[in-house]
Amino acid sequence: MEALAVASDIRTHHRICPFCEQNCATEVTVDHATRRVIDVRGDKADPLSKGFVCPKVTAVKDMHLDPDVLKTPVIKRNGVFEPVGWDEALDFAADRIRQIQGEHGRDALAFFFGTTIAHVPGLALYTGSLLATLQTRSIFSTSSIDCHPHFLAALTMFGGFSSLPVPDIDNCDYFVLIGANPLQSNGSFMTAPGVPRRLRAIQERGGKVVVIDPRRTETANVADWHVSIEPGGDAALLFAIVRTLFEEGLVTLGAIERYASNVEELRRLAEPFTPERVSPATGIAAGDIVRLAREIAAAPRACLYGRIGSAMQRFGSITNWLITAINALTGNLDQPGGAMFPGGTFESVIMSDRCRDGVLPYGRYTSRVSGFPEMGGQFPAALMIEEMETPGDGQIKALITMGANPALSNANGGRRLTNAMAKLDFMMSFDIYINETTRHADVILPSPPHLSHSDFMIFFTFLTVRDYIKYAPAIFEKAEGERHDSEIFNGLVARLTGVSTAQAEENAFRMLYDQLRDQGNAVLAELSFEQVVQHLGQDGAEERMFDLLLRSGRYGDHFGKRPG
């Protein structure tokens, strides 16, 4: 007997690519009758990305079809992962967490999260409630590998990790990229989809693109000037530029002068760094250093921008501090065409720690083995190995990973870290794959893949070159047996705290409300939690949190006070 043909139900949905910081808008065409993804392409009508996507976007379709994506929790028994039900998996995880922390202390459980926290809204909004429950200081993340120098510079200069100046690339006349290769990476700490088009536009309007990098990168190939520098020489070069600016009377603070402090101290610090003295260490001729300083100062609108290469080096923090200092000294900080502070549709809720009562969220306590300072409640990822290997009170005995693969991304991940993970008493992973890291886990808790959860830009609102937000509902309903991130986290927190899952959800929602109020949200300062709940209702989980962020944010209706 011939099988009956299934009628097609082909529709196109507008989404965001989840694979990098650019949040490029996409059109995803699917057949709802068969749950098949037909096509993924750029959305030409989107005002931020204007149709740009890179080849990574095809992975949206690949992941939807990938048979290796986990659909249910798995528990390792006799070295083999076996599918189990959610109650069994969550009960097992909660019991082992309680046991480990009860026997060895709170800090014996480590938590490592990856960049998925910035791309998956459920992880961004519910990780805090789990960490508040665990109360461990052994927290690590991928951001300490390549981001913390940026955060520390922003914290010490402006009082908050998320107070990061972002290049106004679309109005810049002289753009200097230090250790950044956006033609290959798409860009980072600058949410500006289609960077190749934006760089060409600088040149087409008579501007100049300069790349400072040891290697002639893809971006250096299209630049007007490639300045090849010795690895690690960036801080010396930037100090020499600062000295030249002062020496030749090129310092113009402009509108920020009344906010600036310690300018003379910066002049004193830069004094020993003459172009001639730093030339051997940087590999750049003294004349080129002077030329670079003069051209930055002379440009109508200039901006220095650094990324991976400016951060992943011995002097990463001071390099990024100097980048902003030069933008300030040349009148290009918080000015059109320079480095500006995005308004954002709402406040940052990740890496949102700020200076309070004169105390920076940095160095408040130190790591057990080497005495490294914490930053924003995290330790450098490189310390995780020694904290696992070194016996004594507080030794890491268990690990939770979330959307991360430190066996690949961490230094010595494939050897010492892998060996250390294999010896842990317990390991749990929030992940959709069995990979180099999660293969060591005792239990893996997967959430539905990208197209089965709603799309919302949580993390990058304070990094966009234009205030921008996009929301899209899930394309597919979750399959039977799948749980969304909010359900997984609430289920685990409920078991660890002895409350219902509904109460765990309400506690997570209250935690977000309290965080926004604590950060100084003027809208919520006038509304009690109960009043907010009346406006938003009890249902919706992640969507209710999206609504809270938007309505209390810069462009929100402020819960009826600004209709429309």
Side-chain angles (χ1 to χ4, degrees):
M1 180 181 292
E2 292 185 7
L4 293 176
V6 178
S8 297
D9 180 10
I10 297 175
R11 287 177 255 164
T12 296
H13 302 263
H14 298 275
R15 303 278 292 182
I16 301 169
C17 177
F19 297 121
C20 84
E21 294 183 30
Q22 298 312 316
N23 292 274
C24 297
T26 59
E27 292 182 345
V28 183
T29 302
V30 304
D31 185 347
H32 282 265
T34 60
R35 293 177 68 93
R36 183 171 63 93
V37 178
I38 298 171
D39 185 40
V40 184
R41 62 182 62 201
D43 181 358
K44 294 181 180 179
D46 185 84
L48 190 67
S49 56
K50 299 181 179 179
F52 177 86
V53 286
C54 78
K56 284 185 286 189
V57 77
T58 58
V60 170
K61 181 177 181 180
D62 295 340
M63 285 178 62
H64 184 71
L65 299 171
D66 192 346
D68 291 332
V69 170
L70 295 174
K71 303 296 185 183
T72 62
V74 293
I75 289 179
K76 187 184 290 178
R77 294 190 173 112
N78 299 318
V80 179
F81 283 113
E82 297 180 3
V84 297
W86 277 104
D87 286 338
E88 181 180 354
L90 291 171
D91 287 343
F92 172 67
D95 288 344
R96 293 296 287 129
I97 289 170
R98 277 195 298 266
Q99 182 182 2
I100 294 290
Q101 290 193 311
E103 291 179 3
H104 303 286
R106 294 278 187 178
D107 297 339
L109 174 68
F111 192 96
F112 186 100
F113 60 88
T115 54
T116 48
I117 195 173
H119 297 279
V120 179
L123 301 184
L125 293 171
Y126 287 89
T127 298
S129 65
L130 178 58
L131 290 177
T133 300
L134 299 175
Q135 294 182 30
T136 177
R137 285 184 170 182
S138 302
I139 300 175
F140 309 86
S141 79
T142 51
S143 68
S144 70
I145 299 173
D146 66 351
C147 297
H148 279 195
H150 294 273
F151 289 136
L152 185 58
L155 176 68
T156 54
M157 298 187 92
F158 307 114
F161 289 128
S162 59
S163 301
L164 285 157
V166 174
D168 183 14
I169 186 172
D170 295 328
N171 294 300
C172 186
D173 299 307
Y174 195 93
F175 193 39
V176 183
L177 299 95
I178 302 173
N181 185 17
L183 261 68
Q184 190 276 331
S185 69
N186 285 340
S188 179
F189 279 32
M190 175 182 64
T191 301
V195 170
R197 164 175 53 83
R198 297 174 193 268
L199 292 180
R200 285 196 304 271
I202 293 175
Q203 296 167 322
E204 288 168 358
R205 59 179 176 261
K208 199 168 189 177
V209 175
V210 179
V211 171
I212 299 173
D213 201 294
R215 187 172 72 90
R216 190 167 183 83
T217 63
E218 292 86 344
T219 308
N221 280 331
V222 302
D224 299 281
W225 184 14
H226 170 220
V227 181
S228 182
I229 188 172
E230 287 293 320
D234 305 270
L237 168 65
L238 295 175
F239 261 130
I241 290 174
V242 169
R243 188 188 188 281
T244 302
L245 293 174
F246 278 114
E247 183 77 14
E248 299 195 358
L250 301 175
V251 172
T252 308
L253 292 170
I256 69 156
E257 185 166 7
R258 62 190 175 123
Y259 303 109
S261 59
N262 298 316
V263 176
E264 285 303 312
E265 177 71 4
L266 177 55
R267 180 203 290 266
R268 186 189 66 78
L269 289 171
E271 189 61 33
F273 294 87
T274 65
E276 292 75 18
R277 186 178 182 186
V278 306
S279 180
T282 62
I284 303 170
D288 285 338
I289 296 173
V290 173
R291 173 191 164 193
L292 185 57
R294 289 173 178 169
E295 290 188 0
I296 293 169
R301 297 170 298 186
C303 183
L304 275 68
Y305 157 76
R307 191 50 194 107
I308 294 290
S310 73
M312 295 181 68
Q313 56 160 294
R314 183 179 180 186
F315 301 109
S317 296
I318 198 166
T319 292
N320 284 283
W321 183 82
L322 284 166
I323 286 172
T324 301
I326 292 172
N327 284 330
L329 291 175
T330 55
N332 290 299
L333 179 62
D334 203 26
Q335 293 296 305
M340 302 185 72
F341 296 95
T345 47
F346 48 79
E347 299 168 68
S348 168
V349 293
I350 309 173
M351 291 303 290
S352 58
D353 299 53
R354 300 176 182 178
C355 178
R356 296 184 182 276
D357 301 321
V359 178
L360 298 177
Y362 174 77
R364 294 165 295 185
Y365 47 91
T366 57
S367 65
R368 178 181 66 101
V369 178
S370 296
F372 275 85
E374 61 81 32
M375 196 179 91
Q378 298 179 33
F379 288 121
L383 302 184
M384 194 159 58
I385 294 174
E386 64 183 36
E387 293 292 339
M388 290 179 179
E389 292 178 337
T390 307
D393 291 342
Q395 179 184 4
I396 291 174
K397 298 287 188 177
L399 173 66
I400 297 174
T401 66
M402 186 184 78
N405 192 0
L408 283 186
S409 63
N410 275 32
N412 293 315
R415 301 191 66 177
R416 282 183 63 193
L417 180 58
T418 293
N419 292 336
M421 287 191 295
K423 297 174 183 176
L424 292 171
D425 293 347
F426 173 70
M427 183 171 160
M428 181 183 86
S429 295
F430 297 96
D431 214 297
I432 61 173
Y433 281 108
I434 298 172
N435 59 30
E436 294 83 357
T437 295
T438 63
R439 66 187 177 92
H440 298 284
D442 298 286
V443 55
I444 305 175
L445 306 176
S447 61
H450 175 63
L451 299 182
S452 293
H453 64 70
S454 54
D455 225 357
F456 190 68
M457 200 168 78
I458 291 282
F459 181 72
F460 300 100
T461 60
F462 68 94
L463 293 172
T464 53
V465 296
R466 295 290 177 269
D467 285 351
Y468 174 94
I469 198 69
K470 187 165 188 170
Y471 167 80
I475 292 179
F476 299 113
E477 291 291 327
K478 63 182 180 181
E480 185 177 353
E482 293 181 335
R483 290 194 184 182
H484 285 303
D485 299 294
S486 57
E487 297 173 297
I488 299 169
F489 276 78
N490 288 334
L492 182 59
V493 169
R495 285 164 170 79
L496 291 170
T497 57
V499 302
S500 67
T501 53
Q503 187 59 54
E505 166 61 37
E506 202 67 3
N507 292 344
F509 186 52
R510 183 185 286 273
M511 186 174 178
L512 177 61
Y513 163 84
D514 289 340
Q515 178 183 352
L516 292 171
R517 275 179 60 109
D518 190 49
Q519 290 175 191
N521 186 292
V523 177
L524 296 181
E526 299 178 359
L527 292 171
S528 68
F529 178 72
E530 289 71 24
Q531 287 173 313
V532 169
V533 171
Q534 286 178 356
H535 278 283
L536 300 179
Q538 299 281 351
D539 301 324
E542 296 171 24
E543 268 69 12
R544 187 171 62 150
M545 292 191 176
F546 301 162
D547 216 14
L548 173 62
L549 290 169
L550 286 173
R551 295 184 68 174
S552 64
R554 179 181 298 265
Y555 301 98
D557 76 339
H558 297 178
F559 300 95
K561 287 190 174 182
R562 300 197 308 181

